[in-house]
Amino acid sequence: MYLGYLAQRTQLMVHVTFNHSLIPETISDDREEKVSQWLISWWGDELPTLDGDEEAKVIHVVGVLHNLICQDARLPLFDLPVVDAGGEKPGCWVPSLMGLDHRVHSMALQFALSAIAQPTESACHAVLAGAVQKVHKKAGNSILGLSDGSIPILAEAHARGLHFYHQADDIVQVGQGANSRLIHVSASDADSAAGMLLSENKAMMAAVFKKAGIPSPDTIPTQSPDIAPVALKRLQGPLIVKPERGARGQGVVTGITSEALLRRAISSAIQSSPAKIALIQRQMKGDCHRVLVLNGEVMWASTRYPKSVVADGSSTVAQLIETANDALRDMPARKRFRPFPADDLAVATVKKQGFAMDAVPPEGQRVLLRPVTSVADGGDAKTITETLHPANAAICIEAAKICRLNTAGIDFFSEDPTVPWFENGGCILEVNYKPQVFNRLSDRITSDPHKRFVTQLISGAGHMPIHAFVGASLAKERATQRHRELVAEGVNAWLYLDEGISGPEGFVRPTKDENRLKDLHSLMHNPRVEALCLQVGVWGAERILPITHVTTVETCNDEDDPAPDSWAQVADRLQFSSAPQA
């Protein structure tokens, strides 16, 4: 298996071959156009332009489909394939991840070939849907896939020419060596462990807020429904019960006014909470506003609504739901949110607002189909970034700072976010670590606020300076000399020679040719490495390389050098990869 880095590509690439009999010799223009439309309708966006002769064209589209299948299987593979149509077996280079079972690529490519050979659009889409599930399962045997919210952020990092390395689970390193950042979806290594703990423990957070003077609702934690009568008397008004630990609005019950309902809600919340604790609060008036804070600055703010429909003045609630679901069905399947519900909970929620399913609400009236906002159910949002009062923005920033979170999703409750919190009783419900920024794998970053968010999230991520010295004994001498100079200047530089690797302390650990890619890859992961001095032998002339780029190249010829011409060729080969600065 060939694995390494290619010119004009950012990601690790692996070579996969095809059986000639599986590739159509020709493809008509009509068939090409038809298949392209099928793929676009499945993916929901335009595909890259297909170039080359007929066989290369088919392999290229299969390689592109490989990437799309893998992305939907939560594998961040973005680089376009490089086609090798000639030879005994045609094939192509496709992006990969260190440690990923190479059979994942073969599986994805076989499914891609099958998809474009289908007689109908529905059959093609069915093959692709099945491919995503099976590739995801297969990849899980060697690498745990990322979450839905990670793929859009990594797609943007890749578009900016940054290298990234999957570490474990949902943690990814963006950048190389000392010029790298660890990100956990929307969180980063700038967020504290204490802040993560506070965000997961709502009762603890409420206590911290009270001491810090952050406006927040009175909260009663409990492990027993027997506290119900005391809670009703103390908090008064309609109550809300939620699991002490949980996310996405799951397990939350609102509008509780009786002891019997409160007991049931407490029991349910205790069962759904990992900590077996329920929280009781007085239900606040107004709406929940999500304020996204990063680096002490409000990135954006929005008013969040539960799953709902907006009346047109002529349709019943049931008709509005059906119209909304029709619009979903017109979307590519992979871009759809959950359907708009008309179940018993929706009927009860609509009834609480004074409507029936066959009623015609006044035009512009928002009719809620769920009692609480939940990412799991989906919902709606209205941007309020420009109208959020500065005092409300400030209290959200303070709440994030108190929790020691660099990235935080603040749930701010207020009847009117344009009015200062201290004038209308606005308060902070909670601060969320790793807030949901993107909900779908298919999301991509197009807006300026989202681009600014990614810029700040991965600030400091970039390429490691790699100084290549091409040759034998003189190259070793020059690489060693440059390494010493950098260390003397206070740079934590590493030295890679044919016989071993050494850090700034000078200790040498042996290496082997067959481990070159793995060893150099490990240096990219090491946050102590600020620069690398690298002796490059004849392996530098190969098409596939163990390094992503070089910053400088020096050809080192001496009288004892047996092949000065080859060193010049190696140096020319390395020139392709001068790294852009992030």
Side-chain angles (χ1 to χ4, degrees):
M1 179 181 67
Y2 296 100
L3 186 69
Y5 294 93
L6 290 176
Q8 311 306 318
R9 295 295 183 270
T10 302
Q11 296 189 272
L12 195 67
M13 303 291 280
V14 63
H15 190 263
V16 185
T17 58
F18 298 89
N19 188 321
H20 263 296
S21 63
L22 298 178
I23 302 173
E25 292 185 4
T26 60
I27 182 170
S28 68
D29 290 343
D30 288 345
R31 175 68 181 175
E32 179 185 337
E33 183 177 353
K34 183 182 292 185
V35 171
S36 294
Q37 289 304 313
W38 294 352
L39 300 181
I40 290 170
S41 66
W42 168 70
W43 186 247
D45 289 300
E46 290 293 327
L47 301 177
T49 303
L50 305 181
D51 297 315
D53 58 41
E54 291 300 325
E55 187 172 63
K57 187 182 296 184
V58 174
I59 296 175
H60 180 82
V61 74
V62 167
V64 170
L65 259 184
H66 158 278
N67 287 6
L68 303 186
I69 290 169
C70 288
Q71 287 172 40
D72 254 21
R74 296 175 176 80
L75 296 172
L77 305 180
F78 306 111
D79 266 340
L80 287 176
V82 177
V83 176
D84 274 340
E88 194 172 311
K89 278 191 175 183
C92 67
W93 296 89
V94 293
S96 186
L97 299 170
M98 186 68 82
L100 181 62
D101 188 337
H102 69 275
R103 291 173 295 183
V104 169
H105 301 294
S106 298
M107 176 183 285
L109 289 165
Q110 293 302 322
F111 273 118
L113 277 168
S114 176
I116 66 172
Q118 296 303 309
T120 64
E121 180 176 18
S122 60
C124 173
H125 289 186
V127 169
L128 292 170
V132 169
Q133 293 179 358
K134 292 179 180 178
V135 167
H136 177 67
K137 183 178 180 180
K138 187 70 174 179
N141 294 331
S142 56
I143 286 182
L144 291 175
L146 300 165
S147 67
D148 293 1
S150 295
I151 299 298
I153 293 173
L154 294 179
E156 177 66 16
H158 175 264
R160 299 183 185 195
L162 289 170
H163 301 280
F164 58 80
Y165 305 88
H166 181 250
Q167 301 284 61
D169 194 23
D170 230 358
I171 298 176
V172 178
Q173 174 185 311
V174 181
Q176 299 173 324
N179 298 329
S180 66
R181 298 292 303 274
L182 280 184
I183 64 171
H184 186 199
V185 194
S186 63
S188 75
D189 48 21
D191 294 298
S192 72
M196 180 175 68
L197 177 63
L198 283 173
S199 73
E200 292 177 347
N201 191 317
K202 296 181 177 68
M204 189 186 299
M205 183 185 295
V208 169
F209 282 170
K210 187 174 183 179
K211 293 175 183 177
I214 297 294
S216 59
D218 285 340
T219 301
I220 300 177
T222 183
Q223 291 183 297
S224 170
D226 293 339
I227 202 171
V230 175
L232 281 168
K233 183 177 180 180
R234 174 180 158 186
L235 297 178
Q236 302 181 352
L239 303 182
I240 180 171
V241 174
K242 63 180 75 172
E244 195 276 338
R245 295 185 185 181
R248 297 177 173 240
Q250 295 175 331
V252 178
V253 181
T254 63
I256 301 169
T257 55
S258 71
E259 182 178 332
L261 287 175
L262 182 56
R263 283 179 175 274
R264 285 200 296 270
I266 292 171
S267 296
S268 176
I270 289 172
Q271 290 301 313
S272 60
S273 167
K276 301 305 177 187
I277 296 174
L279 302 182
I280 310 168
Q281 298 173 336
R282 181 166 59 87
Q283 187 166 327
M284 308 297 293
K285 293 181 179 179
D287 296 308
C288 181
H289 313 283
R290 170 54 65 92
V291 182
L292 199 290
V293 173
L294 176 60
N295 291 340
E297 179 184 353
V298 171
M299 294 284 104
W300 61 78
S302 60
T303 302
R304 304 170 76 186
Y305 301 105
K307 198 80 169 183
S308 53
V309 290
V310 178
D312 58 13
S314 60
S315 303
T316 66
V317 174
Q319 290 170 336
L320 291 170
I321 293 173
E322 184 58 32
T323 299
N325 284 326
D326 285 343
L328 283 181
R329 283 188 283 269
D330 289 338
M331 297 172 62
R334 60 185 298 276
K335 287 179 173 283
R336 294 174 194 159
F337 288 111
R338 287 191 177 186
F340 289 78
D343 55 11
D344 291 343
L345 180 56
V347 172
T349 305
V350 170
K351 185 177 181 181
K352 280 187 177 181
Q353 299 164 79
F355 301 108
M357 298 298 276
D358 59 357
V360 179
E363 184 176 1
Q365 172 74 46
R366 181 178 293 276
V367 181
L368 306 184
L369 305 177
R370 285 289 184 262
V372 296
T373 302
S374 167
V375 175
D377 287 323
D380 199 3
K382 180 179 71 175
T383 300
I384 59 167
T385 310
E386 300 300 324
T387 57
L388 182 69
H389 194 280
N392 298 334
I395 200 66
C396 289
I397 293 170
E398 288 176 28
K401 287 283 188 182
I402 286 168
C403 291
R404 305 304 194 270
L405 289 177
N406 196 52
T407 307
I410 315 295
D411 287 342
F412 172 66
F413 219 84
S414 173
E415 291 185 87
D416 185 351
T418 66
V419 176
W421 61 269
F422 47 79
E423 291 184 7
N424 68 356
C427 66
I428 304 293
L429 291 182
E430 57 188 57
V431 175
N432 297 280
Y433 166 79
K434 195 184 65 174
Q436 196 86 10
V437 176
F438 301 100
N439 298 318
R440 300 173 298 186
L441 285 163
S442 60
D443 289 337
R444 289 297 180 267
I445 295 172
T446 56
S447 71
D448 289 339
H450 282 152
K451 287 181 179 293
R452 190 160 58 94
F453 170 81
V454 173
T455 297
Q456 294 202 26
L457 180 70
I458 60 176
S459 176
H463 300 85
M464 177 192 296
I466 299 178
H467 305 289
F469 298 86
V470 180
S473 57
L474 183 58
K476 174 183 175 181
E477 181 181 323
R478 285 288 299 119
T480 302
Q481 178 185 347
R482 182 59 179 143
H483 174 247
R484 289 172 180 162
E485 292 171 352
L486 288 171
V487 171
E489 293 169 7
V491 178
N492 279 333
W494 258 248
L495 175 65
Y496 183 98
L497 303 176
D498 287 344
E499 62 265 30
I501 304 171
S502 59
E505 297 82 9
F507 303 111
V508 179
R509 59 182 174 91
T511 186
K512 297 180 180 179
D513 288 350
E514 59 266 29
N515 293 333
R516 187 177 292 116
L517 174 62
K518 183 179 178 181
D519 288 338
L520 289 170
H521 214 258
S522 70
L523 295 178
M524 300 299 111
H525 283 258
N526 189 339
R528 282 194 69 209
V529 183
E530 296 177 351
L532 174 63
C533 297
L534 174 67
Q535 179 191 5
V536 180
V538 292
W539 57 263
E542 297 173 2
R543 183 180 185 188
I544 197 81
L545 293 175
I547 51 175
T548 58
H549 67 280
V550 293
T551 308
T552 63
V553 183
E554 182 178 329
T555 305
C556 305
N557 293 321
D558 59 23
E559 295 179 357
D560 298 326
D561 195 327
D565 291 340
S566 67
W567 297 140
Q569 293 170 9
V570 171
D572 288 342
R573 169 74 183 91
L574 293 176
Q575 294 293 342
F576 84 87
S577 55
S578 179
Q581 295 302 308

